Amino acid sequence: MSSSASGVIQMGKLMVHIAESGHSYELDCDEYTLVEALQKFLESECGIPLNDQLLLCLDMKLESQRPLSAYKLPSDDRDVFLFNRSRMRSNSPAPAPERIESINIPDPPVPSSSHNPHPLDEASDPALKALPSYERQFRYHFQCGHAIYSRTLAKREICERLLQEQKVQERALEIARGNLDHFYKIVSQNYADFIKRYSHQHRCHNSLLVNFGRDMEKLRSVRLPPMLQSNNRKCLLDFVKEENLRKTVEACGSSHRQLENKVSAFKQEFGDLKRNTENLFSCNGKASSLIKDVESSLKDNQRFISEQKSIMQALSKDVNTVKKLVDDCLSGELSSSLRPHDAVSALGPMYDSHDKSNLPKMLECEREIERLLAFCIDKKNEMNVFVHHYMERIAFIQYTIKGVRYKFPLFHEALKFQDDQFEHLNVVHGIGPAYRACFAEVARRKAAMKIYMGKAGQLAEKLAKERDAELRRRDEFLKQQSSYIPRDILAAMGLYDTPGSCDVNIAPFDTNLIDIDLQDIDRYAPESLLASPRTSRASSSISNDGSQIGEVEGSGVDSHVKSDWQDLPDGSELVEIAGTSKMEVENAKLKADLASKIALLCFMSAELDYDSLDDSKIESILKEAEEKHSEALHMKDVYEKHLHEALKMKQMQCESYEKRIQELEQRLSDQYLRGRKLSVEEDASNSAVSTAKTDDNKSEASMEEITCPSGLSKSAIHPDHGKVHEGLDDNMADSSATVNPSLDSSMQDLHFDKGHRIDSDKKESSLPDEGMALMASNMAVSLSQPAGVLLHEPAPEPDLDATVKDSLVMELRNALEQKSSQLDSAESKIQELIGEVSNLERELEVSQKLLDESQMNCAHLENCLHEARKEAQTHLCAADRRASEYSTLRVSAVKMRGLFERLRNCVISAGPTNLSDSLRALAQSLGSSSNESEDETTAEFREFLRALAEKVSSLSRQCLELLDRYSKTEAENEQLSKELEEKKEIANTLYIKHQLEKQANKEKISFGRLEVHEIAAFVLKSAGYYKAINRSCPHYYLSTESVALFTDHLASRPDYIIGQVVHIERRMVKSPPSTPDPGESIRDQVDVLASSEGGPSRLGSSSNPYGLPVGCEYFIVTVAMLPDTRTSTSSIHSTSTSTTSSTSPS
């Protein structure tokens, strides 16, 4: 800025708006104030952290390390908007409801005479006493009204402030929307460029995959010419390896489908982005509608403010009125007409109006304004929520745009990979056009060789003409000066020298070309090699007749003669030189142009994609092609008319030739008849010697005339013969003069050509057709000879020798027959020339058609090349943009890598204790090394390091505390473990006792009549058996099996046994028998039970083992061990045994 350059600091006001709430801050700053200082101030004022601040001015983002002058700030027409990044993240909390400070304007206290005494309060007149009371009431009403009016104005100001904040939020949304629109347009342009390139590539690759089989069949069907065949190459398909191509096609198809799927997903992603962006831009009217609602409400409620203002004016007027009355009463200046009673009676209605009308109206207006304030607050809250969601959507769309932009380089790499992968298929597709183009190039080179030789001949002819002109000029000079200067002086001066002749010799070239012509291209390389859906569509749209090469060969001769013959020497004409005629050179040029256009079409057929053209371009191309086609047809008609006129003139010339030949034949026949008649008359005469001598002399003279080239004799020719010959030459010359000089020189009058050359150079030059020249010369001889013979014989001579006459007649007859045959051959050659002219005319028409179509195709191809250049330029610009973006990303990545490398080294080098100090030192070093080029990423990384250092420090302190607590806990844990073991042993003992007590309480011992499943106790008796303890039934005894069950694993029998009854056997004591049987022994009835091992055991006893009286009933009881006491039976029994043994003596 100019002020800074002159050393004057520019001060100004900078307006900063908060997008989230609409609040505004006006700051005093200068152009050298850093943006970071502004951010710190805003952090202290509005509470938004510095890292979450995003400052935008128009479409510029304010960087922290740059001064305000970089953005032309401060400026009156530029405001800065602050956006909170944390509020723009997804799932961020909704904004809090709008808070309005309460309006503390209390109503005035009720007036009282004690608080505000007046002198008239003590007046004796009640009317005078009432005046101060009215004054106090009126003042109270005015103060109440003023309080209401002040509250209303304050609420109105709050409403207007909320409206201004909403307008600020709307402007902030416009800034954010403009920023988003800028990036969206960039990504949309990139997407359009990518889709255009992908669509073109997709069509080309899809065509290659679809037409691969067809291309292979075409290459297989086209066989090489015999001169190009070898052992390994018989057809075009042998140029490539078919097996490898099959694998390549499969790989290309798979890659093509994968890329198509990925691009489809990318299209869907971009479609979602586009739909979200359009939906976001379509909801712009909501903020405007909210603002319009608030504005209309403020405008409608303005009438309440006006009404309150008018009431306040009325109240003020009434206060002044009552004050004046009171003052007048005090001063005694009250007029005689107005008494105090009248004044009081007048103030009463005014008081009623205040109390019942004015103040209630003001309160009603205040309530309306309060409702307006509530409405504005609701709209402001609604706007806050709308802005919050709107910014969230913008942040999400920007994140999506960033992701889409990162995908473009990947897709471009994929497209490049696809092009490389499809290169082999492109080669297969281009073999056919290249093969046809090679044959067309061979034909073009052959035609070019013919043109080259023709141009060399034209140059030689021009130099020969210039030599002849130089010779004539020298001869004229010598004739003029030789009469004055001696010849020897002229010779000494070297003026008799002549220019040498120029010979143009061309070394042979292109001798290794194969022997094919333009007509052989379709035979060896058919046009079907170029056939494809695109080229067929193009050919059908450009050429309506669809004619082949042979039918369109040769159109547009006139235009190409103008363009291709401009490089000839000035003043040169197409003449017959060394066997190269003008027509042949023209035909060679047309063939060369046609071959070059065929090669160009072959080259462009593989490159041109007609599907990439839209309908408008195709229509314009077709329209232009149609115009050129009509113009070429008109030119063809003009040239055709020109050729018809030339042919008509040739026909007239041939007719004149035929007419002259017929006249000559008639004259020759007449002369021959006259000679026969004279010979007959001479035979009849009788002269001998003298006549014979005379005839000998005449015959010699006649022979001399025959051998003379000019066919004339000065002594023996009749004057009529000269006239006949002269008339013949003149007529032939006249007929030749009618020929168009632009036609083929071979059709000129040969006799006139010969005479012209004899008169100009006095030398004989070789004619293009030596046979026709010889015929013309012989014709002249034959015309002169018979006339001389006839005129040499004025009267019959009788002495003529008959033999000599007969020989002369025979010679004349032979000469006549020879000339007749020569005339016939000349006529046949003329007919051949006419046929050649017609053939050349047809060839020219066909060449004109093909050349016209070639021109149209070339124009179309030029348009396509122009479009391709534009597209390439667009792609180049896009590539440059991508390169710049890539370089920016690379710089950022390198910077981030360096930062993370420093962080890694810091973490590795620092120990667990000083990690936080190392992180703080790293953050401080980053802050001290920062400069103006520091970006937002470095600042965020520095803040991250600071936060990480705080976290690590906090975690270190917590870790130390946890270690201390852990050591204490370990000691306590060991102590508790010991206590737990002791408690566990005590618990086990108590548990066993508890179980025994529980079992005893649960299953009580039966002391009455025993039943199965009851518990019984048996005591060991001195006799060695166990007897049940019961009251009323004493004869229950334990079976021997049960005793064995309880005592087998014990060293001694226990004193008592407790078990569950499982079986009771009732028995009776019997008397012993008096005489026992010796064969059998008497056994007591015993109870057989299964032992613990599963084997049976018997209790052998006498008939009364328990010492009971005979007939007494007793019971044998079988018991089982109790489940809960089975493990501790031995210990219990042993304990009980020891206890019993210790107490047994007592």
Side-chain angles (χ1 to χ4, degrees):
M1 297 177 65
S2 61
S3 60
S4 62
S6 61
V8 179
I9 299 177
Q10 181 181 358
M11 299 294 295
K13 301 285 187 180
L14 181 63
M15 186 65 70
V16 181
H17 305 287
I18 311 301
E20 181 183 359
S21 60
H23 298 168
S24 300
Y25 298 92
E26 188 176 17
L27 310 177
D28 294 328
C29 56
D30 57 69
E31 58 184 350
Y32 295 109
T33 303
L34 294 178
V35 177
E36 186 176 6
L38 179 64
Q39 289 179 325
K40 291 180 179 179
F41 173 77
L42 294 174
E43 182 178 8
S44 62
E45 288 294 326
C46 57
I48 300 177
L50 190 141
N51 294 330
D52 291 338
Q53 294 181 15
L54 175 62
L55 296 177
L56 295 179
C57 179
L58 299 179
D59 57 347
M60 299 179 293
K61 176 185 175 183
L62 275 62
E63 302 294 339
S64 300
Q65 303 302 324
R66 304 188 68 180
L68 294 178
S69 60
Y71 310 101
K72 298 180 180 181
L73 296 174
S75 177
D76 294 336
D77 57 347
R78 290 190 176 188
D79 295 342
V80 177
F81 289 87
L82 173 61
F83 296 88
N84 190 353
R85 286 195 179 95
S86 61
R87 291 288 186 178
M88 298 171 65
R89 299 187 181 98
S90 59
N91 298 327
S92 60
E98 192 72 20
R99 291 183 180 181
I100 304 299
E101 296 180 0
S102 60
I103 302 172
N104 297 322
I105 302 179
D107 292 333
V110 179
S112 174
S113 59
S114 59
H115 292 87
N116 190 11
H118 196 271
L120 294 179
D121 290 338
E122 303 299 333
S124 58
D125 190 354
L128 292 176
K129 192 175 181 180
L131 286 176
S133 177
Y134 273 112
E135 182 183 1
R136 282 191 291 269
Q137 290 296 327
F138 279 21
R139 289 184 182 278
Y140 172 71
H141 291 165
F142 178 78
Q143 293 173 358
C144 289
H146 186 268
I148 295 172
Y149 184 66
S150 300
R151 288 196 298 268
T152 304
L153 289 180
K155 294 176 182 178
R156 172 78 181 190
E157 289 177 357
I158 293 174
C159 294
E160 292 178 352
R161 178 174 60 82
L162 294 176
L163 177 60
Q164 290 301 122
E165 291 177 357
Q166 293 184 43
K167 290 182 179 180
V168 168
Q169 288 176 320
E170 184 184 18
R171 290 178 58 195
L173 292 182
E174 291 177 358
I175 294 294
R177 187 164 53 247
N179 185 270
L180 176 65
D181 184 62
H182 172 69
F183 289 104
Y184 177 71
K185 287 181 179 178
I186 293 176
V187 77
S188 297
Q189 182 63 35
N190 296 340
Y191 177 77
D193 296 341
F194 165 72
I195 289 299
K196 184 177 181 181
R197 179 183 175 187
Y198 169 73
S199 301
H200 176 72
Q201 187 196 71
H202 183 269
R203 285 193 297 268
C204 294
H205 291 178
N206 191 45
S207 176
L208 291 176
L209 292 174
V210 171
N211 299 324
F212 175 75
R214 189 185 307 168
D215 293 339
M216 297 291 286
E217 293 299 326
K218 288 179 185 177
L219 297 181
R220 185 181 285 108
S221 62
V222 177
R223 302 190 64 81
L224 298 176
M227 69 286 291
L228 300 179
Q229 290 185 3
S230 61
N231 295 331
N232 298 328
R233 293 176 180 174
K234 300 296 183 181
C235 61
L236 293 182
L237 188 59
D238 295 334
F239 290 177
V240 295
K241 295 181 180 180
E242 186 175 1
E243 297 179 357
N244 297 338
L245 284 176
R246 299 291 181 184
K247 297 179 181 178
T248 304
V249 167
E250 294 179 359
C252 290
S254 176
S255 177
H256 183 72
R257 288 188 296 272
Q258 291 178 1
L259 181 60
E260 185 177 5
N261 295 333
K262 292 181 180 179
V263 172
S264 299
F266 182 63
K267 286 182 179 179
Q268 184 177 1
E269 181 180 359
F270 186 80
D272 296 338
L273 172 62
K274 182 178 180 182
R275 184 170 55 257
N276 293 335
T277 306
E278 291 176 352
N279 293 337
L280 180 69
F281 289 164
S282 64
C283 63
N284 297 334
K286 184 174 182 181
S288 301
S289 63
L290 293 174
I291 294 175
K292 288 180 180 179
D293 293 342
V294 175
E295 287 179 345
S296 62
S297 299
L298 285 174
K299 187 176 180 180
D300 293 340
N301 287 274
Q302 180 63 33
R303 56 188 178 88
F304 298 113
I305 303 295
S306 301
E307 186 175 359
Q308 282 188 345
K309 189 174 182 181
S310 62
I311 293 174
M312 285 300 298
Q313 292 176 356
L315 292 176
S316 177
K317 182 179 179 182
D318 294 342
V319 169
N320 293 331
T321 300
V322 71
K323 184 176 181 300
K324 186 174 183 302
L325 290 173
V326 172
D327 291 342
D328 291 343
C329 289
L330 285 176
S331 60
E333 296 178 358
L334 193 64
S335 63
S336 60
S337 61
L338 182 62
R339 297 178 297 173
H341 295 280
D342 296 334
V344 172
S345 63
L347 292 177
M350 296 172 65
Y351 176 82
D352 293 338
S353 176
H354 293 176
D355 190 36
K356 296 180 179 179
S357 177
N358 293 337
L359 292 179
K361 284 183 179 180
M362 292 191 71
L363 290 174
E364 182 64 27
C365 292
E366 182 184 10
R367 285 192 289 270
E368 291 294 335
I369 298 299
E370 189 171 359
R371 283 194 287 270
L372 173 63
L373 178 60
F375 175 77
C376 292
I377 292 173
D378 292 339
K379 291 297 180 181
K380 182 60 169 58
N381 291 328
E382 188 174 356
M383 175 66 83
N384 291 341
V385 174
F386 173 73
V387 170
H388 174 71
H389 292 307
Y390 199 88
M391 296 307 299
E392 279 186 346
R393 294 172 64 183
I394 286 179
F396 175 74
I397 293 174
Q398 286 180 342
Y399 177 77
T400 308
I401 288 175
K402 189 175 181 181
V404 170
R405 290 180 65 184
Y406 286 156
K407 288 184 180 179
F408 283 129
L410 301 178
F411 277 108
H412 286 304
E413 291 293 333
L415 293 182
K416 184 178 179 182
F417 176 76
Q418 287 290 100
D419 289 334
D420 296 340
Q421 196 171 14
F422 276 80
E423 186 64 27
H424 297 290
L425 300 187
N426 281 324
V427 170
V428 174
H429 185 70
I431 288 177
Y435 183 70
R436 181 177 173 87
C438 291
F439 279 101
E441 178 66 14
V442 171
R444 189 197 65 79
R445 292 190 181 185
K446 285 192 173 184
M449 181 174 62
K450 189 74 172 178
I451 296 171
Y452 186 70
M453 295 176 64
K455 289 182 179 180
Q458 292 159 14
L459 182 60
E461 180 66 18
K462 181 181 178 181
L463 293 176
K465 289 182 180 180
E466 291 180 356
R467 179 178 178 275
D468 294 341
E470 180 66 20
L471 286 174
R472 286 193 300 270
R473 184 174 180 179
R474 293 186 180 192
D475 291 341
E476 291 176 359
F477 178 80
L478 291 176
K479 286 179 183 180
Q480 293 177 359
Q481 307 299 332
S482 60
S483 59
Y484 305 105
I485 305 298
R487 292 182 178 271
D488 55 347
I489 299 298
L490 295 176
M493 294 175 68
L495 296 178
Y496 280 101
D497 294 339
T498 59
S501 61
C502 178
D503 296 331
V504 179
N505 296 322
I506 301 176
F509 61 94
D510 287 340
T511 57
N512 295 327
L513 295 176
I514 59 176
D515 188 14
I516 63 168
D517 202 355
L518 194 62
Q519 291 80 7
D520 299 329
I521 294 178
D522 286 336
R523 182 158 61 91
Y524 292 119
E527 193 177 3
S528 61
L529 291 174
L530 307 179
S532 65
R534 295 176 292 172
T535 55
S536 62
R537 174 181 172 184
S539 61
S540 63
S541 63
I542 295 176
S543 177
N544 295 326
D545 54 354
S547 57
Q548 297 178 355
I549 295 177
E551 297 176 358
V552 299
E553 195 178 27
S555 63
V557 175
D558 195 15
S559 62
H560 277 274
V561 167
K562 292 180 181 178
S563 61
D564 294 340
W565 284 89
Q566 290 177 357
D567 56 348
L568 293 177
D570 296 337
S572 63
E573 295 181 358
L574 292 174
V575 295
E576 297 179 0
I577 298 173
T580 304
S581 64
K582 173 184 175 182
M583 190 64 69
E584 291 176 349
V585 175
E586 288 181 351
N587 193 18
K589 280 187 170 295
L590 291 175
K591 287 184 178 180
D593 291 337
L594 179 59
S596 63
K597 295 301 184 292
I598 292 175
L600 181 62
L601 289 175
C602 294
F603 174 73
M604 297 301 295
S605 63
E607 300 293 334
L608 185 62
D609 187 7
Y610 292 94
D611 293 336
S612 61
L613 302 176
D614 53 4
D615 296 336
S616 60
K617 291 184 179 180
I618 292 177
E619 290 178 0
S620 62
I621 290 172
L622 292 178
K623 186 177 180 180
E624 184 179 358
E626 186 177 359
E627 292 175 357
K628 291 187 178 181
H629 185 67
S630 60
E631 182 181 358
L633 289 178
H634 176 67
M635 294 174 62
K636 190 227 16 160
D637 294 338
V638 172
Y639 191 74
E640 184 179 2
K641 184 178 180 181
H642 171 70
L643 289 179
H644 279 301
E645 291 177 356
L647 183 61
K648 187 175 181 181
M649 296 174 68
K650 286 286 185 181
Q651 289 178 353
M652 293 172 61
Q653 183 182 4
C654 292
E655 290 176 357
S656 65
Y657 285 163
E658 291 177 356
K659 190 178 294 184
R660 296 299 180 188
I661 290 171
Q662 290 177 2
E663 291 177 359
L664 291 174
E665 288 178 351
Q666 184 66 31
R667 290 180 182 180
L668 287 174
S669 63
D670 293 342
Q671 290 176 3
Y672 178 74
L673 291 176
R674 289 176 189 175
R676 292 281 295 181
K677 186 182 291 185
L678 289 175
S679 65
V680 171
E681 291 177 355
E682 289 176 356
D683 290 339
S685 66
N686 295 320
S687 61
V689 178
S690 60
T691 305
K693 293 180 180 179
T694 304
D695 291 337
D696 292 336
N697 296 329
K698 291 180 179 180
S699 62
E700 291 175 359
S702 299
M703 292 301 292
E704 289 176 358
E705 292 174 358
I706 293 172
T707 57
C708 180
S710 60
L712 297 176
S713 179
K714 296 181 180 180
S715 62
I717 298 177
H718 193 270
D720 293 339
H721 172 72
K723 293 180 180 179
V724 172
H725 189 69
E726 185 179 0
L728 176 62
D729 290 342
D730 293 338
N731 292 330
M732 296 294 285
D734 293 337
S735 63
S736 301
T738 60
V739 180
N740 193 344
S742 64
L743 296 177
D744 188 3
S745 60
S746 64
M747 300 298 296
Q748 301 286 342
D749 182 46
L750 299 177
H751 192 73
F752 175 76
D753 227 6
K754 180 180 177 182
H756 175 69
R757 284 193 293 273
I758 292 174
D759 293 337
S760 62
D761 294 335
K762 304 298 182 179
K763 298 179 181 180
E764 292 182 2
S765 60
S766 59
L767 295 173
D769 194 344
E770 296 179 357
M772 294 188 69
L774 180 62
M775 180 190 70
S777 62
N778 292 333
M779 185 182 295
V781 174
S782 65
L783 290 176
S784 62
Q785 178 62 31
V789 173
L790 291 174
L791 294 176
H792 187 69
E793 199 68 35
E797 296 181 359
D799 54 352
L800 185 65
D801 190 8
T803 305
V804 175
K805 292 180 181 179
D806 290 338
S807 62
L808 181 60
V809 169
M810 290 299 294
E811 289 177 0
L812 291 173
R813 184 178 297 172
N814 293 333
L816 182 61
E817 291 177 356
Q818 183 179 2
K819 301 307 175 186
S820 299
S821 62
Q822 289 179 356
L823 289 173
D824 292 338
S825 63
E827 184 178 2
S828 63
K829 289 186 178 181
I830 290 172
Q831 293 295 331
E832 290 178 359
L833 289 175
I834 293 173
E836 184 178 357
V837 169
S838 61
N839 292 332
L840 290 174
E841 181 182 0
R842 288 192 297 272
E843 290 179 359
L844 288 174
E845 291 177 357
V846 175
S847 300
Q848 179 69 27
K849 293 180 182 179
L850 181 59
L851 197 56
D852 185 25
E853 185 176 358
S854 300
Q855 288 178 347
M856 291 187 291
N857 291 339
C858 288
H860 174 68
L861 294 176
E862 288 177 358
N863 294 332
C864 294
L865 287 175
H866 180 65
E867 294 294 332
R869 289 193 199 98
K870 291 175 65 178
E871 184 177 357
Q873 187 67 24
T874 304
H875 290 170
L876 181 60
C877 295
D880 292 338
R881 291 197 301 270
R882 300 300 173 278
S884 63
E885 292 176 1
Y886 173 74
S887 62
T888 304
L889 291 176
R890 187 175 182 276
V891 169
S892 178
V894 170
K895 185 178 293 183
M896 290 302 300
R897 180 178 177 84
L899 294 176
F900 278 105
E901 188 69 22
R902 293 180 64 181
L903 177 61
R904 186 177 69 85
N905 295 332
C906 176
V907 173
I908 292 175
S909 60
T913 57
N914 57 352
L915 178 59
S916 60
D917 298 335
S918 179
L919 290 176
R920 289 194 187 92
L922 178 59
Q924 187 175 1
S925 65
L926 290 177
S928 61
S929 63
S930 61
N931 50 20
E932 293 185 357
S933 62
E934 182 185 8
D935 56 355
E936 184 180 352
T937 305
T938 307
E940 291 181 355
F941 188 77
R942 188 173 64 253
E943 295 299 327
F944 163 73
L945 287 179
R946 291 176 181 173
L948 183 60
E950 295 296 332
K951 294 291 184 181
V952 170
S953 177
S954 176
L955 290 175
S956 299
R957 291 193 299 269
Q958 293 179 5
C959 183
L960 294 176
E961 293 176 358
L962 290 176
L963 289 175
D964 189 15
R965 292 174 61 185
Y966 176 74
S967 59
K968 294 179 180 179
T969 306
E970 283 292 329
E972 293 177 358
N973 192 17
E974 292 178 359
Q975 184 67 26
L976 290 175
S977 298
K978 294 178 181 179
E979 295 178 358
L980 182 61
E981 291 294 334
E982 296 175 356
K983 299 295 183 182
K984 187 182 293 185
E985 292 178 0
I986 297 173
N988 288 333
T989 304
L990 293 176
Y991 177 75
I992 293 173
K993 292 180 179 180
H994 176 70
Q995 288 296 330
L996 293 175
E997 293 175 356
K998 183 179 180 181
Q999 183 68 26
N1001 293 330
K1002 182 179 179 181
E1003 300 175 356
K1004 295 182 179 181
I1005 299 173
S1006 177
F1007 295 102
R1009 186 176 180 87
L1010 297 179
E1011 298 292 338
V1012 179
H1013 302 302
E1014 289 182 350
I1015 296 175
F1018 298 89
V1019 180
L1020 180 62
K1021 297 297 183 179
S1022 58
Y1025 57 87
Y1026 286 89
K1027 184 177 180 182
I1029 301 174
N1030 52 12
R1031 299 185 183 91
S1032 56
C1033 300
H1035 304 297
Y1036 284 89
Y1037 302 98
L1038 186 62
S1039 63
T1040 56
E1041 291 84 358
S1042 299
V1043 172
L1045 177 63
F1046 280 89
T1047 60
D1048 282 346
H1049 59 282
L1050 299 177
S1052 60
R1053 288 188 175 188
D1055 295 336
Y1056 64 91
I1057 293 175
I1058 300 174
Q1060 187 175 12
V1061 177
V1062 295
H1063 179 72
I1064 299 174
E1065 183 179 359
R1066 182 173 174 274
R1067 292 184 181 182
M1068 184 72 68
V1069 177
K1070 298 179 180 180
S1071 59
S1074 57
T1075 56
D1077 189 1
E1080 63 180 50
S1081 61
I1082 301 172
R1083 298 180 180 178
D1084 295 334
Q1085 186 179 357
V1086 294
D1087 182 26
V1088 180
L1089 296 175
S1091 63
S1092 60
E1093 292 81 6
S1097 63
R1098 294 179 178 272
L1099 179 61
S1101 65
S1102 61
S1103 60
N1104 190 7
Y1106 304 108
L1108 298 176
V1110 177
C1112 180
E1113 185 180 18
Y1114 64 97
F1115 301 89
I1116 303 299
V1117 180
T1118 303
V1119 299
M1121 290 184 179
L1122 296 176
D1124 295 335
T1125 59
R1126 188 171 297 175
T1127 58
S1128 58
T1129 304
S1130 59
S1131 61
I1132 295 174
H1133 287 173
S1134 62
T1135 303
S1136 61
T1137 305
S1138 61
T1139 305
T1140 306
S1141 62
S1142 61
T1143 57
S1144 58
S1146 61

